[in-house]
Amino acid sequence: YFKFLPMIFITSIVQLTKSASDTLKVDSLKLSIEILKAEGNKCQRCWNYDSKTGSDSIYPTLCPKCISAVK
């Protein structure tokens, strides 16, 4: 179900990590959220940011996921 988190949060990437700093207590859960600007270039097709976007000579404006879908 982790692969669906970017779609749920409408973001390019979601990373889940364990952290001991600055936790927000929600009921009995400890939760820490950090939002950072995504690395890489914006894909012209899906608008997600990926560090590999622009690396293909045939589809220089698409991310690897979109290149796979277009082919």
Side-chain angles (χ1 to χ4, degrees):
Y1 59 89
F2 290 114
K3 67 181 180 179
F4 298 111
L5 291 179
M7 290 182 286
I8 292 169
F9 294 125
I10 311 172
T11 188
S12 295
I13 188 170
V14 173
Q15 293 178 330
L16 300 176
T17 59
K18 290 185 179 183
S19 174
S21 64
D22 300 329
T23 58
L24 169 68
K25 191 170 183 181
V26 179
D27 294 330
S28 63
L29 301 174
K30 290 184 178 180
L31 176 66
S32 178
I33 299 172
E34 183 178 9
I35 301 169
L36 303 171
K37 183 178 178 181
E39 294 180 5
N41 298 311
K42 184 178 177 181
C43 175
Q44 186 179 18
R45 182 173 179 264
C46 70
W47 290 24
N48 281 315
Y49 286 81
D50 190 304
S51 60
K52 295 179 183 173
T53 298
S55 62
D56 189 274
S57 61
I58 298 172
Y59 302 103
T61 61
L62 301 183
C63 70
K65 181 179 170 184
C66 287
I67 291 171
S68 174
V70 169
K71 287 183 177 180

